[in-house]
Amino acid sequence: MNPFSAAGQDRLLLLLIRTVALIGALALAGLLPAMPQAHAQDAANWTGVWDTKWRGGGAQIKFEQTGTDVKGVYPLYNGRIEAKAEGDKLVGHWFEGDRQGAFTFVQSPDGGSFMGRFDAATAEWWTGVRVSAVEDVRVDQSSPMSTMRSFLQTMNESGADNVPRATGGGMGLAGLAAGLVDVTEADRGGLNMPDYTKLLFTVIDNATFRLWSLPHDAISGDEVTATLPQYGTRISFDVTFRRKNGDWFIVGPPLAQLQAKLAEFQEARGEAVDMVDDPSRLASPRDTFKVLLSGLTEAGDPAQAALDLRNYSQAVRGDEAFLLERYLKKVIDRIGYVYWQEIPDDPKSNTPFVYFEHPAGNIVIGPVETEKGKIWQFTPETLAHIRALYADVEDVPVAPEFAAFASTDPFFIAVASPARSAPACSPAPARWSAGNGRCSALPHWPASSSASSPMR
């Protein structure tokens, strides 16, 4: 070993220790500029949809980011955000009409959530998590019909009727619905936008109507009105649509008018709307669909609440129910998205509801008398031919003339039956198209003595 080399190494080590100590002392004294953190050099990504909450409320915010500039909207409160991304922070202002305030959000390392504060005087909390539920809902405002379709789908998926269908994102879905409503602050009568939107939905939900019956072609002018009848009564609700900058909106009536109409609907029905929290009490065909599609079934007894299984022995009933439920759901999914408001909700009716007609068999819900009273279930006839119907509608392309409606409206879906050259597509309004070998089937309401029946 070279002694001079060893001595040099000792002197170098001593110099290094002194240098580090000096830098530390200067830093503690504040005489060195702050060293930026590595993760703060790049702005975090805020683009996307966030489910946020604060004390006493919450809303879903959609952020769009360009560089460090971030803008956001949350229609549930007619709010917007303007901010700057600074490392993992988002610093800016929120605006709701004449109200505004400052906020600071700090994003988590995994980018999936944030913690924040707003209103410096009170240091209120504001938190959020990324969500994706609203990404599967397509909002279309090209016509009054499509606007109503979007409104109903977003509110139905949000669980506004106590039957959630989406996996999270309820506030965001309700926020999308609120963005489809054109209402003045004065007409809201002091209600915030979420509560007003929920009331408007509740009134519309008391009606039963076909979406395709709403205006959607060659509309003259920028306003049009449609009548939504309550099934089985003479009461109806006139809803107005308004076109603004090429998009159609639902015009929100004054608060007092909405409240009066809801009371009128409930009085005519004679009882409040069943919230379907008890699967053993299926008061209408609409309830039965909700139980089947939302998974609200009795613990340990899957599917049987919505299915009339009297033709199956107790020994095989459980296994058969499990299979029949899945066949039935597959067929319904193939027909199209189910809007509750297109299915009768009258608990006093005794007329079976034909949801879908096809040469291989129909999908029907009928009343059944039980020890607990009358309930509505998918009929034994429906269950008997559901496998054959499943075989006909599974993995078959939709007819071209109906393709535009394939994902939005069950009344324009065509299903194939290639084994039949000329089946009897009856009763009307079903029809057979020999050109493409398809039978298009439209669900219908049974005849009703009511002058306000959707059939009239």
Side-chain angles (χ1 to χ4, degrees):
M1 169 181 266
N2 189 333
F4 293 100
S5 175
Q9 290 179 6
D10 290 342
R11 286 194 295 270
L12 181 61
L13 178 60
L14 181 60
L15 178 61
L16 179 60
I17 293 174
R18 288 176 177 175
T19 301
V20 171
L22 177 61
I23 292 175
L26 291 174
L28 290 174
L31 298 179
L32 287 181
M35 300 295 290
Q37 297 180 8
H39 73 274
Q41 293 176 354
D42 298 323
N45 176 26
W46 293 89
T47 297
V49 180
W50 299 77
D51 206 353
T52 75
K53 289 181 172 60
W54 57 82
R55 187 187 306 276
Q60 198 159 78
I61 302 175
K62 182 178 181 180
F63 283 127
E64 292 184 358
Q65 181 172 347
T66 303
T68 59
D69 293 326
V70 179
K71 294 184 178 181
V73 292
Y74 48 109
L76 203 58
Y77 290 89
N78 193 27
R80 61 185 177 88
I81 282 175
E82 295 180 0
K84 288 277 190 181
E86 303 174 358
D88 58 1
K89 294 182 180 179
L90 186 66
V91 181
H93 290 79
W94 56 269
F95 304 87
E96 295 177 9
D98 296 332
R99 301 174 61 243
Q100 62 174 293
F103 72 87
T104 299
F105 297 158
V106 180
Q107 192 173 128
S108 64
D110 65 3
S113 62
F114 69 78
M115 296 288 291
R117 291 285 186 269
F118 70 99
D119 289 343
T122 57
E124 289 288 346
W125 56 268
W126 193 348
T127 65
V129 296
R130 288 189 190 269
V131 297
S132 59
V134 299
E135 296 177 359
D136 297 329
V137 177
R138 179 175 60 89
V139 172
D140 182 359
Q141 295 176 254
S142 60
S143 72
M145 179 188 75
S146 61
T147 296
M148 179 62 78
R149 178 203 65 78
S150 299
F151 181 79
L152 294 181
Q153 185 175 5
T154 50
M155 290 301 285
N156 287 341
E157 291 289 327
S158 75
D161 57 351
N162 205 38
V163 182
R165 287 161 62 158
T167 55
M171 287 188 298
L173 292 165
L176 289 180
L180 302 172
V181 180
D182 182 16
V183 59
T184 65
E185 189 171 350
D187 282 343
R188 292 209 313 264
L191 280 186
N192 58 35
M193 198 60 190
D195 290 341
Y196 180 88
T197 304
K198 175 69 177 295
L199 176 60
L200 175 62
F201 169 77
T202 303
V203 171
I204 295 175
D205 192 47
N206 271 266
T208 303
F209 56 96
R210 292 174 176 172
L211 275 169
W212 59 261
S213 68
L214 300 181
H216 56 277
D217 288 326
I219 302 170
S220 60
D222 291 330
E223 281 198 1
V224 64
T225 299
T227 299
L228 310 181
Q230 184 179 44
Y231 187 85
T233 76
R234 297 179 179 273
I235 308 302
S236 62
F237 173 57
D238 290 335
V239 58
T240 299
F241 300 87
R242 178 179 296 145
R243 180 161 45 193
K244 298 173 66 175
N245 300 321
D247 289 332
W248 285 94
F249 294 82
I250 300 173
V251 178
L255 175 62
Q257 182 178 331
L258 272 183
Q259 292 171 329
K261 179 56 65 176
L262 179 58
E264 187 178 12
F265 271 144
Q266 291 177 340
E267 182 179 1
R269 179 67 77 218
E271 60 182 79
V273 175
D274 179 17
M275 297 305 285
V276 204
D277 54 2
D278 180 4
S280 67
R281 184 180 180 272
L282 305 179
S284 69
R286 189 181 297 186
D287 287 357
T288 304
F289 261 94
K290 287 182 177 182
V291 165
L292 178 76
L293 298 184
S294 67
L296 286 175
T297 53
E298 294 175 289
D301 197 18
Q304 295 189 27
L307 309 181
D308 186 348
L309 297 165
R310 289 177 294 176
N311 291 353
Y312 295 85
S313 69
Q314 290 289 348
V316 299
R317 185 171 293 181
D319 292 337
E320 284 294 323
F322 181 85
L323 295 174
L324 292 171
E325 176 197 22
R326 279 146 185 78
Y327 277 119
L328 187 54
K329 285 182 176 180
K330 281 282 188 180
V331 172
I332 291 173
D333 286 343
R334 180 57 186 162
I335 296 170
Y337 183 86
V338 177
Y339 298 89
W340 307 139
Q341 296 75 20
E342 291 180 321
I343 301 173
D345 62 342
D346 183 9
K348 299 177 182 178
S349 173
N350 287 306
T351 305
F353 167 61
V354 181
Y355 174 71
F356 186 68
E357 296 174 327
H358 186 268
N362 301 335
I363 296 179
V364 184
I365 301 177
V368 179
E369 292 296 335
T370 70
E371 296 179 355
K372 297 182 180 180
K374 182 180 69 177
I375 63 172
W376 290 78
Q377 295 178 317
F378 288 93
T379 64
E381 292 76 16
T382 297
L383 303 181
H385 62 240
I386 198 62
R387 289 176 172 84
L389 187 55
Y390 170 83
D392 265 7
V393 303
E394 182 68 2
D395 298 327
V396 176
V398 175
E401 64 266 33
F402 296 103
F405 300 94
S407 63
T408 60
D409 198 309
F411 301 113
F412 291 92
I413 302 302
V415 294
S417 185
R420 299 175 175 83
S421 58
C425 295
S426 63
R431 73 177 183 184
W432 177 259
S433 175
N436 55 36
R438 287 174 171 80
C439 180
S440 61
L442 307 184
H444 72 277
W445 283 273
S448 170
S449 60
S450 169
S452 62
S453 166
M455 284 298 291
R456 298 173 184 266

